[in-house]
Amino acid sequence: MGGYIIIELTFLGTASAIHTKNRNHSSIVVKISDKTVLLDCGESTQKQLMYANISPMKIDIIFITHLHGDHILGLPGLLQSIAFRGRTEPLHIYGPRGIDDLIYHIRQLGYSLIGNNIITHTISEDGIVYEDDHFMVEAKQMKHTVIDYAYKIEEKRKPKFIKSKALKLGIPEGPLFGNLQRGESIELNGKIINASQVLGPPRKGIKMVFSGDTIPQESMIEFSKDADLLIHEATFANESKDKADEYGHSVAEDAALIAKEANVEQLVLTHLSNRYTNSDELTQEAKKYFENVVYADDFMTVIIENKKPVKIINANEKQTKQQEK
């Protein structure tokens, strides 16, 4: 990958408050660098993980957008299952005020056993809530009927390594290149070479944004500016705009206009109301304002890689490829 990282997402649930035969409650798995991240954990998330062939034991971090049941009721079963399987590694759970109480009460349910390795982090303001050497996660409060945070997952911008400069300085290809790429100085033939001598301006890192549940917010435009992927809720079609406003949700047109203003590459809609038998109506309404849009289905996969178009693999296509193997 030449130092680049890839973001791979799998939608485990794309329904709103009431799930259907084909749509589970809200949850998305994000694989980035060496981490597996879960965005929300609606009812039956652990079963959806099984169908997607993703081990719950590999989940490192969970980010909860808000504390409505369709986004959190999968946590009790998921946490107990990984405890039964002997997990000892820490599991970090981030969420709005009340996340500590939620985990406390899960511990009190019946004779639940969820282990002592769960570490909660309460988000109380906008800003970066997690970062490691490869990526960072930023939270931004949206507007719903309860406190809701959108999340941006962004690859850290790294200086571009200019190979021609390194070769001109007499540095042989190999491990020394890696040292310089990491910003370290090296010694070659008794001479110190600083990383700044072979590094250029930082390259653009890949990034994705997930809105959680929210009415359309102008702040989302700046938050998702130039993102490779914006996942935005679109619970209702435009004819139900009044209902969307009343319940703190967006319609397809809202999400499309935000994507257009933010200049994102790909818009994916999610959180479909059970009043719709399919998402075609909402997709077409969004396309009037933003062409590069799809409505997510359960088990749809999205792959983001630097300098490549965002790739979408629907569930049927994915299943066919697995069968061919």
Side-chain angles (χ1 to χ4, degrees):
M1 295 191 302
Y4 294 101
I5 64 174
I6 296 173
I7 298 178
E8 180 178 327
L9 303 91
T10 301
F11 286 81
L12 300 178
T14 57
S16 58
I18 300 175
H19 63 207
T20 67
K21 289 181 179 179
N22 299 317
R23 292 183 184 274
N24 201 71
H25 279 156
S26 217
S27 189
I28 306 169
V29 171
V30 182
K31 295 180 180 180
I32 176 170
S33 183
D34 60 343
K35 297 289 192 302
T36 299
V37 174
L38 192 64
L39 298 174
D40 282 339
C41 188
E43 182 184 348
S44 298
T45 289
Q46 64 171 321
K47 198 162 190 177
Q48 298 293 90
L49 285 165
M50 293 178 193
Y51 288 137
N53 293 316
I54 299 170
S55 171
M57 299 291 279
K58 293 185 179 298
I59 295 171
D60 299 290
I61 314 168
I62 300 175
F63 291 96
I64 300 296
T65 58
H66 64 293
L67 300 184
H68 274 158
D70 55 322
H71 296 256
I72 62 169
L73 287 180
L75 279 171
L78 177 68
L79 298 181
Q80 183 159 280
S81 291
I82 62 177
F84 281 157
R85 295 171 67 176
R87 177 180 176 129
T88 57
E89 295 84 1
L91 175 61
H92 295 266
I93 303 179
Y94 293 75
R97 186 174 62 250
I99 193 69
D100 290 331
D101 289 340
L102 173 64
I103 300 304
Y104 170 80
H105 288 297
I106 289 175
R107 291 185 186 278
Q108 312 311 310
L109 289 174
Y111 294 95
S112 179
L113 171 67
I114 64 171
N116 297 313
N117 57 334
I118 297 170
I119 303 167
T120 55
H121 305 263
T122 298
I123 300 171
S124 56
E125 60 184 10
D126 295 351
I128 295 171
V129 294
Y130 172 85
E131 64 179 316
D132 62 19
D133 290 340
H134 305 288
F135 70 97
M136 57 188 176
V137 181
E138 183 177 352
K140 180 78 173 176
Q141 188 170 344
M142 294 288 107
K143 188 174 182 180
H144 190 40
T145 55
V146 297
I147 298 173
D148 173 279
Y149 282 98
Y151 292 109
K152 174 163 58 181
I153 300 177
E154 185 172 8
E155 178 187 9
K156 285 192 170 178
R157 290 163 52 90
K158 297 178 181 178
K160 182 179 179 181
F161 179 73
I162 303 174
K163 183 179 177 180
S164 60
K165 285 189 174 182
L167 293 174
K168 192 173 182 179
L169 290 168
I171 304 167
E173 291 191 50
L176 293 179
F177 275 23
N179 292 91
L180 292 165
Q181 285 177 306
R182 290 189 294 271
E184 302 168 4
S185 297
I186 64 168
E187 183 176 350
L188 183 67
N189 300 325
K191 183 180 179 182
I192 300 297
I193 299 175
N194 297 315
S196 59
Q197 294 177 253
V198 295
L199 297 179
R203 60 173 174 80
K204 177 181 177 291
I206 56 177
K207 63 181 173 181
M208 56 151 289
V209 174
F210 175 44
S211 71
D213 289 5
T214 182
I215 63 173
Q217 293 292 290
E218 195 164 321
S219 60
M220 176 57 81
I221 296 172
E222 182 59 34
F223 191 61
S224 57
K225 192 71 174 176
D226 299 325
D228 299 275
L229 173 68
L230 170 61
I231 305 167
H232 201 290
E233 75 120 289
T235 307
F236 298 103
N238 294 351
E239 65 179 7
S240 298
K241 176 66 173 170
D242 289 345
K243 185 172 286 293
D245 290 341
E246 179 183 357
Y247 290 105
H249 291 295
S250 300
V251 300
E253 180 180 308
D254 295 327
L257 290 170
I258 288 171
K260 181 180 179 180
E261 290 297 316
N263 190 40
V264 305
E265 179 184 341
Q266 177 72 54
L267 171 64
V268 174
L269 306 176
T270 190
H271 205 259
L272 185 69
S273 168
N274 71 318
R275 66 172 54 195
Y276 305 103
T277 56
N278 62 62
S279 59
D280 292 348
E281 179 182 355
L282 285 81
T283 304
Q284 291 308 312
E285 288 180 350
K287 280 183 177 288
K288 294 176 184 177
Y289 300 94
F290 190 82
E291 181 62 29
N292 208 15
V293 56
V294 298
Y295 210 107
D297 291 314
D298 287 17
F299 305 114
M300 187 181 87
T301 296
V302 182
I303 298 173
I304 309 170
E305 187 173 0
N306 203 293
K307 298 184 179 180
K308 292 185 179 181
V310 173
K311 184 177 181 180
I312 294 175
I313 306 171
N314 64 45
N316 292 333
E317 182 183 354
K318 192 174 181 179
Q319 187 176 31
T320 300
K321 288 182 177 180
Q322 288 173 342
Q323 289 171 346
E324 289 174 351
K325 290 180 181 179

